Amino acid sequence: QVQVEESGGGLVQAGDSLRLSCTASGRTFVSYAMGWFRQAPGKEREFVAAISWSGAGTLYADSVKGRFTISRDNGNSMVYLKMNSLKSEDTAVYYCAQYNGTLYYPLDGIDYWGQGTQVTVSS
């Protein structure tokens, strides 16, 4: 059974940094691309960032490009989202997701989701 679990959310001030972590178990971690999505109150879930199986390929939403960095540690089956220069509009529940293959296309090609972790940015 595949399990995806996020951690690291919290309440921060605008301009602060935060790092989210995600672990996935139940199948060979290195064989799958990973991604982060978020859902703000009253809005649909949206793509934030994704990383290929090897870490060589990454993709970011325009709204976070230059501020967020996705990375992975295949030896420990972990994926991270480092968020810098946080803004109030980054407030959302952040979800970690495992794709159905080694690459992150299509962007909604998700097999498994985590439960989500709340990030709240106060201005």
Side-chain angles (χ1 to χ4, degrees):
Q1 181 179 354
V2 176
Q3 290 187 319
V4 179
E5 186 173 0
E6 311 91 341
S7 61
L11 172 63
V12 296
Q13 302 272 356
D16 284 353
S17 298
L18 199 62
R19 189 181 79 159
L20 304 182
S21 301
C22 170
T23 184
S25 61
R27 61 182 186 178
T28 305
F29 182 80
V30 71
S31 296
Y32 299 94
M34 299 293 295
W36 289 94
F37 293 72
R38 67 187 182 186
Q39 187 168 20
K43 295 187 177 181
E44 293 189 353
R45 186 154 54 187
E46 64 176 3
F47 169 78
V48 175
I51 189 166
S52 65
W53 69 277
S54 66
T58 57
L59 182 69
Y60 297 93
D62 287 344
S63 58
V64 306
K65 200 172 295 182
R67 299 188 298 122
F68 290 12
T69 302
I70 188 171
S71 61
R72 65 188 296 159
D73 176 356
N74 286 337
N76 290 303
S77 300
M78 297 290 294
V79 63
Y80 304 99
L81 185 68
K82 180 67 186 300
M83 306 182 291
N84 296 326
S85 303
L86 282 161
K87 306 174 182 180
S88 57
E89 51 262 45
D90 294 318
T91 295
V93 177
Y94 283 71
Y95 296 90
C96 182
Q98 190 171 64
Y99 280 84
N100 56 19
T102 56
L103 302 178
Y104 38 77
Y105 293 112
L107 287 182
D108 62 351
I110 302 298
D111 273 351
Y112 298 98
W113 295 93
Q115 292 295 312
T117 186
Q118 177 71 47
V119 173
T120 302
V121 184
S122 63
S123 56

